[in-house]
Amino acid sequence: MKLFEMTKNDFFFTLAGLLLVLGVVCFLVGLITLASRVLGNDIQRLATQTAKMIQKGVSEEIAGLVGNAATLIESLNQLVHTTAGIGVFLMLVGMLLMLASYLLVTCIV
C-alpha cells in the first residue's frame, strides 16, 4: 500500500489549484503595489515640497538649489514609473498563472 495514492487527474487538479492560488496572490500583490506605492501620500507630499523649494530657489536666484530639486523631481518620477511597472508586471503574472490553471483544468475535464 502506498502512502499517497494519486491518480494523474488528481495530480493535475492539485497543480491547477496551486497555480490558481499563486495567480490570485500575485494579482493581489500587484494591485496593492499599484494602489499603495503609486498613489501614496508621501510621494505627493515630497513632490509638493520640492516644487516649493524650486520656487524659492528661483526667486532667490540659487542655481544649485534649483538643480538639485529638479534632480529630485526626476528621481521621484522614475520611482513612480518603476513601482507602477512592478505592480503591472505582478498583475500580468497573476493573470497568466490563473489562465494556466484554467487551461489545465479544461484539458483534464
Side-chain angles (χ1 to χ4, degrees), residues 14-26 94 97-102:
T14 304
L15 186 63
L18 287 173
L19 284 175
L20 180 66
V21 169
L22 286 174
V24 168
V25 167
C26 275
L97 287 173
M98 289 186 279
L99 178 68
S101 172
Y102 172 74

Side-chain angles (χ1 to χ4, degrees), residues 7 10 57-58 75 85-86:
T7 64
D10 291 340
V58 168
S75 297
I86 291 170

Side-chain angles (χ1 to χ4, degrees), residues 70-83:
T71 304
L72 180 61
I73 286 182
E74 181 63 33
S75 297
L76 285 173
N77 193 19
Q78 288 176 354
L79 175 72
V80 169
H81 286 293
T82 302
T83 305

Side-chain angles (χ1 to χ4, degrees), residues 83-103:
T83 305
I86 291 170
V88 169
F89 175 75
L90 284 173
M91 289 177 69
L92 286 175
V93 167
M95 285 191 279
L96 287 175
L97 287 173
M98 289 186 279
L99 178 68
S101 172
Y102 172 74
L103 291 175

Side-chain angles (χ1 to χ4, degrees), residues 10-54:
D10 291 340
F11 174 73
F12 283 124
F13 276 124
T14 304
L15 186 63
L18 287 173
L19 284 175
L20 180 66
V21 169
L22 286 174
V24 168
V25 167
C26 275
F27 187 82
L28 289 177
V29 167
L31 190 66
I32 290 169
T33 301
L34 278 177
S36 67
R37 303 287 179 161
V38 174
L39 302 175
N41 292 332
D42 295 335
I43 292 175
Q44 291 176 354
R45 193 174 324 129
L46 190 58
T48 304
Q49 293 297 327
T50 306
K52 288 179 184 176
M53 198 166 60
I54 287 175

